[in-house]
Amino acid sequence: MALAKLSVVVLDCPDPSALAGFYAEVLGGTVEVEDGWADLTTPDGRALAFQASPGFTAPGWPAPDHSQQFHLDLTVDDLDAAEAGVLALGAKPLDADDRSRTWRVYADPAGHPFCLCAC
């Protein structure tokens, strides 16, 4: 028997509204903003939250001396089209040298790593 249910994943960032807006453009859904906090609910009912973190420092990837802490895997139908979309929204590629894999690594506008993964 489980002791708990996962409610939401919360990302620290300097601007919760802006980062929630980025992920709303990538995943779809609606954003609700309160002071220092934003909730994104995707069309399939999943949730991400974003919390203001003064002095936020983005994780490093790949960097043996800086932990990435976690990353999101996002499934896409068309890797090239999804890449063009996230780059237009402000994501930065973190593995631009290797396009032979079925996944690619990016940093969101606040620096959190995420992967686009072909299904």
Side-chain angles (χ1 to χ4, degrees):
M1 180 173 150
L3 298 175
K5 291 182 182 180
L6 180 64
S7 173
V8 66
V9 173
V10 180
L11 303 177
D12 285 357
C13 58
D15 185 342
S17 180
L19 195 56
F22 169 82
Y23 280 104
E25 290 293 324
V26 173
L27 300 170
T30 58
V31 174
E32 293 183 25
V33 179
E34 287 188 29
D35 187 40
W37 186 272
D39 288 306
L40 167 63
T41 303
T42 64
D44 62 3
R46 295 185 179 160
L48 279 176
F50 307 88
Q51 174 177 273
S53 177
F56 172 79
T57 301
W61 188 95
D65 57 338
H66 291 83
S67 170
Q68 72 172 321
Q69 300 171 18
F70 84 101
H71 72 273
L72 299 173
D73 282 347
L74 308 177
T75 303
V76 300
D77 292 324
D78 183 329
L79 203 47
D80 292 329
E83 175 177 66
V86 299
L87 294 177
L89 292 169
K92 296 188 176 22
L94 296 178
D95 67 342
D97 296 337
D98 189 352
R99 290 296 180 249
S100 65
R101 300 182 305 241
T102 59
W103 51 274
R104 298 177 187 167
V105 185
Y106 306 87
D108 68 23
H112 303 102
F114 70 96
C115 296
L116 296 177
C117 306
C119 23

